[in-house]
Amino acid sequence: MARLPVYLRALHNLQELGVATVSSEELAAAAGVNSAKLRKDLSHLGSYGTRGVGYQVEYLVYQISRELGLTQDWVVAIIGVGNLGRALSGYGGFASRGFRVAALLDADAKVVGRRISGLTVEHIDKLETVVKDREVSIAVIATPAGAAQAVCDRLVEAGVTSILNFAPVVLSVPDTVEVRKVDLSIELQILAFHEQRKAGGPMGDRLVGDYGALRADESPESAPYVEAVDA
Amino acid sequence: MARLPVYLRALHNLQELGVATVSSEELAAAAGVNSAKLRKDLSHLGSYGTRGVGYQVEYLVYQISRELGLTQDWVVAIIGVGNLGRALSGYGGFASRGFRVAALLDADAKVVGRRISGLTVEHIDKLETVVKDREVSIAVIATPAGAAQAVCDRLVEAGVTSILNFAPVVLSVPDTVEVRKVDLSIELQILAFHEQRKAGGPMGDRLVGDYGALRADESPESAPYVEAVDA
DNA sequence: CTGACTTTGTGCGTGTGTTCACAAAGGCTT
DNA sequence: AAGCCTTTGTGAACACACGCACAAAGTCAG
């Protein structure tokens, strides 16, 4: 379940506030979900609350952490040290949750050798060696779109089975490999969609800008598609 | 529909390759979805293909762009100029799709006044002025978690109705406001979950680490929850 | 002009996720 | 010890998204 991490975060917050016990209603509110859904998720996971009281915060934190595999450390490699890669390498939310960034790789000779967030950037040629020697299990792809699939293939070949992809391409992988995708411009486009809806749908009239002529083969000058994750 | 941007990207790629016509089968493969789903999405959107031939790429690009509101420009403000905010401000994928970053705001006096990606960082105090004067419609929150809700409230108050939130908190907003959330550590946690599954479930035995003692009120030392989007 | 072939658009069965609502279960007060 | 009150866990209705499979529609060759 993709909601477990959200519950966990809410529980951690409660823990900091010194709360020992929480009802499904309260926790659901903090996590922004329906309370019945939360209870079902939690029961589905095997944890038990106490009727009439609620859930013990410590206990739940432990259970969810274990379910998510956060009781062990995961070794992460970041491929592509552009703006995004650098931001990720310095992101505090990783280390604090059991994710250890063990390598930064890049193809650009100008950044190889630089130290970033306590790590030295290594050349992409060493990908296979690094993955195997340091037992990398999760890789983060933060390369330009053009390089992503090739990098992905090498990662898979080297034995990586979980990939977090920031490049704006659909990666193809064997189905033994799990890929999650984060696409910043897609998020904005979805927002733009809703924003436009509020302003009265796609210009109200479906025929605005009558596109009939185009179907008869007069191509409009379309802005070329610029592919770039980061500089 | 959240898949439209993906289709659009695939179509742009085809356009660059000089492809004029595409079948639902091909486009679906490029977008990584089922062809029936793609056809249903497209029909639901009102666009028409030609039976026996497929879809005209130019036409579809135009239709989807219009549906998503990409035929107009959207003004974006980025709040919080840490590592992540800087990476976002330099992200090429925004400008190329009609998103214009018009302001960078931060509370830290040390970064206010610096020029980043062609923009001067302004103080968060000017939030209301900036939003109104430059007609910001979409805001990106890249602040530390602690500041996010306060910033969000001010944005909503100033009239912003679409927010992209990178801070690891559940923002509460009136339901006239659309919020999308991108949480990097949650993505990794989901990967870790699947990774662990492959390795044989949560340590196989549900009783490993027997937590019974804890229910009798002996708190284990739990790692404090560190909140930090970026440095 | 006719017929064979290709591809769209969609009706329908299926499965999954969400929510309501309530009985069972435990604590707390008197 | 008994009953009231709170809260969990879950059965059942609902909604929705998915994908198959096919008829309708259009192209193209002869």
Side-chain angles (χ1 to χ4, degrees), chain A residues 117-181:
Chain A
S117 307
L119 282 170
T120 302
V121 178
E122 294 165 271
H123 194 273
I124 188 88
D125 283 350
K126 297 194 191 143
L127 188 147
E128 287 76 9
T129 320
V130 165
V131 165
K132 278 167 186 149
D133 291 356
R134 298 179 205 168
E135 296 182 343
V136 171
S137 54
I138 300 177
V140 177
I141 296 182
T143 66
Q149 183 64 58
V151 165
C152 174
D153 291 344
R154 289 178 63 182
L155 287 167
V156 170
E157 183 62 32
V160 171
T161 50
S162 290
I163 294 174
L164 181 53
N165 176 32
F166 285 89
V169 282
V170 179
L171 293 178
S172 79
V173 293
D175 53 9
T176 53
V177 176
E178 180 84 10
V179 174
R180 290 194 67 84
K181 188 180 161 194

Coordinates of all heavy atoms in Angstrom, one line a residue, chain A residues 117-181:
Chain A
S117 N 28.0 16.7 -1.3 CA 27.3 16.1 -0.1 C 28.1 15.0 0.5 O 27.6 13.9 0.9 CB 25.9 15.6 -0.4 OG 25.2 16.6 -1.1
G118 N 29.5 15.1 0.5 CA 30.3 14.1 1.2 C 30.7 13.0 0.3 O 31.3 12.0 0.8
L119 N 30.2 13.0 -0.9 CA 30.6 11.9 -1.8 C 31.3 12.4 -3.0 O 31.1 13.5 -3.5 CB 29.3 11.2 -2.3 CG 28.7 10.2 -1.3 CD1 27.3 9.8 -1.9 CD2 29.5 9.0 -1.1
T120 N 32.2 11.6 -3.5 CA 32.9 12.0 -4.8 C 32.2 11.4 -6.0 O 31.9 10.2 -6.0 CB 34.4 11.4 -4.7 OG1 35.1 11.8 -3.6 CG2 35.1 11.8 -6.0
V121 N 32.0 12.3 -6.9 CA 31.2 11.8 -8.1 C 32.2 10.9 -8.9 O 33.3 11.2 -9.2 CB 30.8 13.0 -9.0 CG1 30.1 12.5 -10.3 CG2 29.9 14.0 -8.2
E122 N 31.6 9.8 -9.3 CA 32.4 8.8 -10.1 C 31.9 8.7 -11.5 O 30.7 9.1 -11.8 CB 32.3 7.4 -9.4 CG 33.0 7.4 -8.0 CD 32.6 6.2 -7.2 OE1 31.6 6.3 -6.5 OE2 33.3 5.2 -7.3
H123 N 32.7 8.2 -12.4 CA 32.3 8.1 -13.8 C 31.4 6.9 -14.0 O 31.5 5.9 -13.4 CB 33.6 7.9 -14.7 CG 33.2 8.2 -16.1 ND1 32.8 7.2 -17.0 CD2 33.3 9.3 -16.9 CE1 32.6 7.7 -18.2 NE2 32.9 9.0 -18.1
I124 N 30.5 7.1 -14.9 CA 29.4 6.2 -15.2 C 30.0 4.8 -15.6 O 29.3 3.8 -15.5 CB 28.5 6.7 -16.3 CG1 27.2 5.9 -16.5 CG2 29.2 6.9 -17.6 CD1 26.1 6.2 -15.6
D125 N 31.2 4.8 -16.1 CA 31.8 3.6 -16.5 C 31.9 2.6 -15.4 O 31.9 1.4 -15.6 CB 33.3 3.8 -17.1 CG 33.2 4.4 -18.5 OD1 32.1 4.4 -19.1 OD2 34.3 4.9 -18.9
K126 N 32.0 3.1 -14.2 CA 32.1 2.2 -13.0 C 30.8 1.7 -12.5 O 30.8 1.1 -11.4 CB 32.9 3.0 -11.9 CG 34.2 3.4 -12.3 CD 35.0 3.9 -11.0 CE 36.3 4.5 -11.4 NZ 36.6 5.6 -10.4
L127 N 29.7 2.0 -13.2 CA 28.4 1.6 -12.7 C 28.3 0.2 -12.3 O 27.9 -0.1 -11.1 CB 27.4 1.9 -13.9 CG 25.9 1.7 -13.5 CD1 25.1 2.7 -14.3 CD2 25.4 0.3 -13.7
E128 N 28.7 -0.7 -13.1 CA 28.6 -2.2 -12.8 C 29.4 -2.5 -11.5 O 28.9 -3.2 -10.6 CB 29.0 -3.0 -13.9 CG 28.1 -3.1 -15.1 CD 28.1 -1.8 -16.0 OE1 29.0 -1.0 -15.8 OE2 27.2 -1.6 -16.8
T129 N 30.6 -2.0 -11.5 CA 31.5 -2.3 -10.3 C 30.9 -1.7 -9.0 O 30.8 -2.4 -8.0 CB 32.9 -1.6 -10.5 OG1 33.3 -1.7 -11.9 CG2 33.9 -2.2 -9.6
V130 N 30.4 -0.5 -9.1 CA 29.9 0.2 -7.9 C 28.6 -0.5 -7.4 O 28.5 -0.8 -6.2 CB 29.5 1.7 -8.3 CG1 28.6 2.2 -7.2 CG2 30.8 2.5 -8.4
V131 N 27.8 -0.9 -8.3 CA 26.5 -1.6 -8.0 C 26.8 -2.9 -7.2 O 26.2 -3.2 -6.2 CB 25.6 -1.8 -9.2 CG1 24.5 -2.8 -8.9 CG2 25.0 -0.5 -9.7
K132 N 27.7 -3.6 -7.8 CA 28.0 -4.9 -7.2 C 28.8 -4.8 -5.9 O 28.5 -5.4 -4.9 CB 28.8 -5.8 -8.2 CG 27.8 -6.5 -9.2 CD 28.4 -7.1 -10.4 CE 27.3 -7.6 -11.4 NZ 27.8 -7.5 -12.8
D133 N 29.9 -4.0 -5.9 CA 30.7 -3.9 -4.7 C 30.0 -3.3 -3.5 O 30.2 -3.8 -2.4 CB 32.0 -3.1 -5.0 CG 32.9 -3.8 -6.0 OD1 32.6 -4.9 -6.4 OD2 33.9 -3.2 -6.4
R134 N 29.2 -2.3 -3.8 CA 28.5 -1.7 -2.6 C 27.1 -2.2 -2.4 O 26.4 -1.7 -1.6 CB 28.5 -0.2 -2.9 CG 29.9 0.4 -3.0 CD 29.9 1.9 -3.3 NE 31.2 2.2 -4.0 CZ 31.5 3.3 -4.6 NH1 30.6 4.3 -4.5 NH2 32.7 3.5 -5.2
E135 N 26.7 -3.2 -3.2 CA 25.4 -3.8 -3.0 C 24.3 -2.8 -3.1 O 23.4 -2.8 -2.2 CB 25.4 -4.6 -1.6 CG 26.4 -5.7 -1.6 CD 26.3 -6.5 -0.3 OE1 25.8 -6.0 0.7 OE2 26.8 -7.7 -0.3
V136 N 24.3 -2.0 -4.1 CA 23.2 -1.1 -4.4 C 22.0 -1.8 -4.7 O 22.0 -2.7 -5.6 CB 23.6 -0.2 -5.6 CG1 22.4 0.7 -6.0 CG2 24.8 0.7 -5.2
S137 N 20.9 -1.5 -4.1 CA 19.6 -2.2 -4.4 C 18.6 -1.2 -5.0 O 17.7 -1.7 -5.7 CB 19.0 -2.9 -3.2 OG 18.9 -2.0 -2.1
I138 N 18.8 0.0 -4.8 CA 17.9 1.0 -5.4 C 18.7 2.1 -6.1 O 19.7 2.6 -5.6 CB 17.1 1.7 -4.3 CG1 16.2 0.7 -3.5 CG2 16.1 2.8 -4.8 CD1 15.4 1.2 -2.3
A139 N 18.3 2.4 -7.3 CA 19.0 3.4 -8.1 C 18.0 4.5 -8.4 O 16.9 4.3 -8.7 CB 19.5 2.8 -9.4
V140 N 18.6 5.7 -8.4 CA 17.8 6.9 -8.8 C 18.3 7.4 -10.1 O 19.5 7.8 -10.2 CB 17.9 8.0 -7.7 CG1 17.1 9.2 -8.2 CG2 17.4 7.5 -6.4
I141 N 17.5 7.5 -11.1 CA 17.9 8.0 -12.4 C 17.6 9.5 -12.5 O 16.4 9.8 -12.5 CB 17.3 7.2 -13.6 CG1 17.8 5.8 -13.6 CG2 17.6 7.9 -14.9 CD1 17.3 4.9 -14.7
A142 N 18.6 10.3 -12.6 CA 18.3 11.8 -12.7 C 19.1 12.3 -13.9 O 19.7 13.4 -13.9 CB 18.7 12.5 -11.4
T143 N 19.2 11.5 -14.9 CA 19.9 11.9 -16.1 C 19.0 12.6 -17.1 O 17.8 12.6 -16.9 CB 20.4 10.6 -16.9 OG1 19.3 9.9 -17.3 CG2 21.3 9.8 -15.9
P144 N 19.5 13.2 -18.2 CA 18.7 13.7 -19.3 C 17.9 12.5 -19.9 O 18.3 11.4 -19.7 CB 19.6 14.3 -20.3 CG 20.9 14.6 -19.5 CD 20.9 13.5 -18.5
A145 N 16.8 12.8 -20.5 CA 15.9 11.8 -21.0 C 16.6 10.8 -22.0 O 16.4 9.6 -21.9 CB 14.7 12.4 -21.7
G146 N 17.5 11.4 -22.8 CA 18.1 10.6 -23.8 C 19.0 9.5 -23.3 O 19.2 8.4 -23.9
A147 N 19.5 9.7 -22.1 CA 20.5 8.7 -21.5 C 19.8 7.7 -20.6 O 20.3 6.7 -20.3 CB 21.6 9.4 -20.7
A148 N 18.5 8.0 -20.3 CA 17.9 7.2 -19.2 C 17.7 5.7 -19.5 O 18.1 4.9 -18.7 CB 16.5 7.8 -18.9
Q149 N 17.2 5.4 -20.7 CA 17.0 4.0 -21.0 C 18.3 3.2 -21.0 O 18.4 2.1 -20.5 CB 16.3 3.8 -22.3 CG 15.9 2.4 -22.7 CD 14.9 1.8 -21.7 OE1 13.9 2.3 -21.5 NE2 15.3 0.7 -21.0
A150 N 19.4 3.8 -21.5 CA 20.6 3.1 -21.6 C 21.2 2.8 -20.1 O 21.6 1.7 -19.8 CB 21.7 3.9 -22.4
V151 N 21.1 3.9 -19.3 CA 21.5 3.7 -17.9 C 20.6 2.7 -17.2 O 21.2 1.8 -16.5 CB 21.4 5.1 -17.2 CG1 21.4 4.9 -15.7 CG2 22.4 6.0 -17.7
C152 N 19.4 2.7 -17.5 CA 18.4 1.8 -16.9 C 18.8 0.4 -17.2 O 18.9 -0.5 -16.4 CB 17.0 2.1 -17.4 SG 15.8 0.9 -16.8
D153 N 19.1 0.1 -18.5 CA 19.5 -1.2 -19.0 C 20.7 -1.7 -18.2 O 20.8 -2.9 -17.8 CB 19.7 -1.2 -20.5 CG 18.4 -1.0 -21.3 OD1 17.4 -1.2 -20.7 OD2 18.5 -0.7 -22.5
R154 N 21.7 -0.8 -18.1 CA 22.9 -1.2 -17.4 C 22.6 -1.5 -15.9 O 23.2 -2.5 -15.4 CB 24.0 -0.1 -17.5 CG 24.5 0.0 -19.0 CD 25.5 1.1 -19.1 NE 26.7 0.9 -18.3 CZ 27.7 1.8 -18.2 NH1 27.6 2.9 -18.9 NH2 28.8 1.5 -17.5
L155 N 21.8 -0.7 -15.3 CA 21.5 -1.0 -13.9 C 20.8 -2.3 -13.7 O 21.2 -3.1 -12.9 CB 20.5 0.1 -13.4 CG 21.1 1.5 -13.2 CD1 20.0 2.6 -13.0 CD2 22.1 1.5 -12.0
V156 N 19.8 -2.6 -14.6 CA 19.1 -3.9 -14.5 C 20.1 -5.0 -14.7 O 20.1 -6.0 -14.0 CB 18.0 -3.9 -15.6 CG1 17.4 -5.3 -15.6 CG2 16.9 -2.9 -15.2
E157 N 20.9 -4.9 -15.7 CA 21.9 -5.9 -16.0 C 22.8 -6.1 -14.8 O 23.2 -7.3 -14.5 CB 22.8 -5.5 -17.2 CG 23.8 -6.5 -17.7 CD 23.1 -7.8 -18.1 OE1 22.0 -7.7 -18.7 OE2 23.8 -8.9 -18.0
A158 N 23.1 -5.1 -14.1 CA 24.0 -5.2 -12.9 C 23.3 -5.7 -11.7 O 24.0 -6.0 -10.7 CB 24.7 -3.8 -12.6
G159 N 22.0 -5.9 -11.8 CA 21.3 -6.5 -10.7 C 20.4 -5.6 -9.9 O 19.8 -6.0 -8.9
V160 N 20.3 -4.4 -10.3 CA 19.4 -3.5 -9.5 C 17.9 -3.8 -9.8 O 17.6 -4.1 -11.0 CB 19.6 -2.0 -9.9 CG1 18.6 -1.1 -9.3 CG2 21.0 -1.5 -9.5
T161 N 17.1 -3.9 -8.8 CA 15.7 -4.3 -9.0 C 14.7 -3.3 -8.7 O 13.5 -3.5 -8.8 CB 15.4 -5.6 -8.3 OG1 15.8 -5.4 -6.9 CG2 16.1 -6.8 -8.8
S162 N 15.2 -2.1 -8.2 CA 14.2 -1.0 -7.9 C 14.8 0.3 -8.4 O 16.0 0.6 -8.1 CB 14.0 -0.9 -6.4 OG 13.3 -2.0 -5.9
I163 N 14.0 1.0 -9.2 CA 14.5 2.2 -9.8 C 13.5 3.4 -9.6 O 12.3 3.2 -9.8 CB 14.7 2.0 -11.3 CG1 15.9 1.0 -11.5 CG2 15.0 3.3 -12.0 CD1 16.1 0.6 -13.0
L164 N 14.1 4.5 -9.2 CA 13.3 5.7 -9.1 C 13.7 6.6 -10.3 O 14.8 7.1 -10.3 CB 13.5 6.4 -7.8 CG 12.7 7.7 -7.5 CD1 11.2 7.5 -7.7 CD2 13.0 8.2 -6.1
N165 N 12.8 6.9 -11.2 CA 13.1 7.6 -12.4 C 12.6 9.0 -12.5 O 11.4 9.2 -12.5 CB 12.6 6.7 -13.6 CG 12.8 7.4 -14.9 OD1 13.8 8.1 -15.1 ND2 11.9 7.2 -15.9
F166 N 13.5 9.9 -12.6 CA 13.1 11.3 -12.8 C 13.2 11.8 -14.2 O 12.8 12.9 -14.5 CB 14.0 12.2 -11.9 CG 13.7 12.2 -10.4 CD1 14.3 11.2 -9.6 CD2 12.8 13.0 -9.9 CE1 14.1 11.1 -8.3 CE2 12.5 13.0 -8.5 CZ 13.1 12.0 -7.7
A167 N 13.7 11.0 -15.1 CA 13.8 11.4 -16.5 C 12.4 11.2 -17.1 O 11.7 10.3 -16.9 CB 14.8 10.5 -17.2
P168 N 12.1 12.2 -18.0 CA 10.8 12.1 -18.6 C 10.7 11.1 -19.8 O 10.5 11.5 -20.9 CB 10.6 13.6 -19.1 CG 11.9 14.1 -19.3 CD 12.8 13.4 -18.3
V169 N 10.9 9.9 -19.5 CA 10.7 8.8 -20.5 C 10.0 7.6 -19.8 O 10.2 7.4 -18.6 CB 12.0 8.3 -21.1 CG1 12.5 9.3 -22.1 CG2 13.0 8.1 -20.0
V170 N 9.4 6.8 -20.6 CA 8.8 5.6 -20.1 C 9.9 4.5 -20.2 O 10.3 4.1 -21.3 CB 7.6 5.1 -20.9 CG1 7.0 3.8 -20.3 CG2 6.5 6.2 -20.8
L171 N 10.4 4.1 -19.1 CA 11.5 3.1 -19.1 C 10.9 1.7 -19.4 O 9.8 1.4 -18.8 CB 12.2 3.1 -17.8 CG 13.0 4.3 -17.5 CD1 13.7 4.2 -16.1 CD2 14.1 4.6 -18.5
S172 N 11.5 0.9 -20.2 CA 11.1 -0.5 -20.3 C 12.0 -1.4 -19.6 O 13.3 -1.3 -19.8 CB 10.9 -0.8 -21.8 OG 12.1 -1.1 -22.4
V173 N 11.5 -2.2 -18.7 CA 12.3 -3.1 -17.9 C 11.6 -4.5 -17.8 O 10.4 -4.5 -18.1 CB 12.4 -2.5 -16.5 CG1 13.3 -1.3 -16.5 CG2 11.1 -2.3 -15.9
P174 N 12.4 -5.5 -17.5 CA 11.7 -6.8 -17.3 C 10.8 -6.6 -16.0 O 11.0 -5.8 -15.2 CB 12.9 -7.7 -16.9 CG 14.0 -6.8 -16.7 CD 13.8 -5.6 -17.4
D175 N 9.8 -7.4 -16.0 CA 8.8 -7.2 -14.9 C 9.2 -7.7 -13.5 O 8.5 -7.7 -12.6 CB 7.4 -7.7 -15.3 CG 7.5 -9.2 -15.7 OD1 8.5 -9.8 -15.5 OD2 6.5 -9.7 -16.2
T176 N 10.5 -8.1 -13.4 CA 11.0 -8.4 -12.1 C 11.6 -7.1 -11.5 O 11.9 -7.1 -10.3 CB 12.2 -9.4 -12.3 OG1 13.2 -8.9 -13.2 CG2 11.7 -10.7 -12.7
V177 N 11.7 -6.1 -12.3 CA 12.2 -4.8 -11.8 C 11.1 -3.8 -11.6 O 10.2 -3.6 -12.4 CB 13.2 -4.2 -12.8 CG1 13.7 -2.8 -12.4 CG2 14.4 -5.2 -13.0
E178 N 11.1 -3.1 -10.4 CA 10.1 -2.2 -10.0 C 10.6 -0.8 -10.4 O 11.7 -0.4 -10.0 CB 9.8 -2.3 -8.5 CG 8.8 -1.3 -8.0 CD 7.4 -1.8 -8.2 OE1 7.3 -3.0 -8.5 OE2 6.4 -1.1 -8.0
V179 N 9.8 0.0 -11.1 CA 10.1 1.3 -11.5 C 9.1 2.3 -11.0 O 7.9 2.1 -11.2 CB 10.3 1.5 -13.0 CG1 10.5 3.0 -13.4 CG2 11.4 0.6 -13.6
R180 N 9.5 3.3 -10.3 CA 8.6 4.4 -10.0 C 9.1 5.7 -10.7 O 10.2 5.9 -10.8 CB 8.5 4.6 -8.5 CG 7.8 3.5 -7.8 CD 7.4 3.8 -6.4 NE 6.4 4.9 -6.3 CZ 5.1 4.6 -6.4 NH1 4.7 3.4 -6.6 NH2 4.2 5.6 -6.4
K181 N 8.1 6.5 -11.1 CA 8.4 7.6 -11.9 C 8.0 8.9 -11.3 O 6.8 8.9 -10.8 CB 7.8 7.4 -13.3 CG 8.2 8.5 -14.3 CD 7.6 8.2 -15.7 CE 7.6 9.5 -16.5 NZ 6.7 9.4 -17.7

